[in-house]
């Protein structure tokens, strides 16, 4: 009983942190779930939903129905309790009011390569988001690009309307979820474009977020078999008039099954730090 109370308490805390601090799931162990005898749901055909402008079709996530073990139940209940707190409910309602653009990859934003691992996708996303030529890339086109690379948040207790907005909100309106912005404001973007500023990321390294690893090791399984939370760190090189300065940075990336293409997508980015 003591272990179950501890698990419930940890999950209750993480239920709040998943939203505001960036803990989410994609499985390095996700594809191993089948070997444990989990009931895998095959992705639905993309023809079951109508396309949006540009010919994009939603893709059903790869999910599993975890065994109802005591650990699974305690964590699930803890997450649901954390997400149902008054503060989180109010925050999610604000996020659900945000209108999403249709998915698109344009305005100088890159096509991301497919990755077979959560850490590989996390690095791909961070590079695509932070390798910026401000004069060449359109900030208004960033929103559709984020939607195109999004994965819905399928954590227990997350409403669908919020779960499909977490990446967009965490990057373009992070104040809703209590996060600092990792990108310049619209005005600063214009100034950087006129000054010929560019960013590039180097020396990327990724490891599974320790608390996420702890939950997986305890026997909890996320419903999305691609779910994982990755700590990504590296160097951000900022070039202005041929002079380059470098800053160390770290960011948490939650990944899962992409909504608008096969394979991995991004649930959110959070906990941006630089020095």
């Amino acid at each position: 009983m003591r272990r179950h109370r501890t698990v419930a308490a940890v999950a209750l805390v993480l239920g709040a942190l998943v939203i505001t601090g960036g803990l989410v799931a994609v499985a390095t162990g996700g594809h191993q779930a089948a070997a444990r005898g989990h009931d895998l749901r095959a992705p639905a055909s993309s023809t079951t939903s109508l396309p949006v402008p540009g010919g994009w079709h939603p893709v059903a996530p790869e999910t599993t129905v975890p065994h109802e073990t005591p650990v699974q139940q305690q964590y699930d209940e803890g997450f649901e309790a954390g997400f149902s707190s008054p503060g989180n409910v109010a925050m999610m309602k604000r996020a659900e009011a945000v209108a999403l653009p249709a998915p698109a990859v344009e305005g100088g934003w890159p096509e991301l390569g497919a990755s077979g691992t959560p850490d590989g996708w996390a690095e791909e996303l961070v590079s695509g988001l932070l390798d910026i030529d401000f004069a060449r890339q359109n900030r208004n086109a960033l929103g559709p690009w984020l939607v195109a690379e999004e994965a819905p948040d399928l954590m227990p207790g997350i409403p669908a309307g919020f779960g499909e907005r977490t990446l967009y909100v965490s990057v373009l309106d992070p104040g809703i979820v209590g996060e600092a912005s990792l990108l310049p404001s619209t005005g600063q973007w214009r100034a950087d474009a006129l000054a010929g500023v560019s960013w590039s990321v180097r020396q990327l390294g990724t490891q599974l977020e320790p608390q996420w690893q702890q939950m997986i090791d305890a026997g909890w399984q996320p419903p999305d078999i691609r779910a994982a939370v990755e700590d990504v760190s590296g160097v951000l090189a900022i070039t202005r008039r041929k002079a380059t300065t470098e800053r160390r940075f770290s960011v948490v990336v939650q990944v899962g099954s992409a909504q608008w293409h096969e394979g991995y997508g991004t649930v959110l980015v959070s906990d941006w730090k630089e020095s």
Side-chain angles (χ1 to χ4, degrees):
M1 291 299 294
R2 181 180 179 183
R3 173 179 171 80
H4 290 173
R5 287 196 297 271
T6 301
V7 168
V10 170
L12 178 62
V13 172
L14 293 181
L17 291 179
V18 169
I19 292 178
T20 60
L23 256 194
V24 184
V26 159
T28 49
H31 292 289
Q32 298 166 2
R36 296 191 184 100
H38 284 214
D39 176 19
L40 293 181
R41 300 172 184 164
S45 168
S46 61
T47 60
T48 58
S49 299
L50 294 175
V52 300
W56 294 80
H57 292 264
V59 177
E62 285 197 70
T63 59
T64 183
V65 180
H67 295 312
E68 289 296 320
T69 64
V71 168
Q72 186 73 35
Q73 291 174 342
Q74 291 291 330
Y75 271 116
D76 286 352
E77 291 169 3
F79 278 120
E80 290 172 1
F83 291 135
S84 64
S85 70
N88 277 337
V89 168
M91 178 276 294
M92 288 189 285
K93 286 183 178 179
R94 290 196 299 274
E96 288 182 76
V98 173
L100 291 181
V105 178
E106 56 191 16
W109 294 94
E111 293 272 3
L112 299 186
S115 175
T117 63
D119 55 338
W121 175 261
E123 292 187 7
E124 188 83 15
L125 186 281
V126 170
S127 293
L129 181 60
L130 296 181
D131 283 344
I132 305 174
D133 181 337
F134 290 95
R136 186 181 65 86
Q137 289 173 254
N138 187 327
R139 195 179 193 280
N140 291 334
L142 175 57
W145 183 82
L146 290 169
V147 173
E149 307 304 344
E150 172 261 342
D153 192 339
L154 302 182
M155 291 291 287
I158 292 285
F162 174 74
E164 66 184 14
R165 286 170 167 77
T166 51
L167 177 59
Y168 184 94
V169 169
S170 69
V171 175
L172 290 180
D173 203 349
I176 288 179
V177 292
E179 290 281 330
S181 178
L182 73 167
L183 294 176
S185 65
T186 301
Q188 186 60 53
W189 193 288
R190 293 195 193 101
D192 287 346
L194 291 173
V197 174
S198 63
W199 287 4
S200 63
V201 292
R202 305 170 183 172
Q203 303 173 29
L204 284 180
T206 306
Q207 64 178 9
L208 200 62
E209 203 283 332
Q211 292 183 84
W212 182 257
Q213 181 71 69
Q214 180 182 354
M215 293 193 299
I216 299 301
D217 290 345
W220 178 80
Q221 290 291 315
D224 183 344
I225 68 170
R226 291 193 176 97
V229 180
E230 302 286 344
D231 286 336
V232 183
S233 61
V235 173
L236 179 65
I238 303 171
T239 301
R240 181 188 299 268
R241 296 188 178 92
K242 299 184 179 180
T244 299
T245 58
E246 294 185 344
R247 301 176 187 169
R248 297 291 309 179
F249 75 88
S250 65
V251 66
V252 173
V253 180
Q254 177 181 339
V255 302
S257 294
Q259 179 155 307
W260 296 103
H261 56 79
E262 299 289 345
Y264 285 97
T266 307
V267 177
L268 59 77
V269 298
S270 69
D271 202 23
W272 170 259
K273 296 184 178 71
E274 60 178 299
S275 58

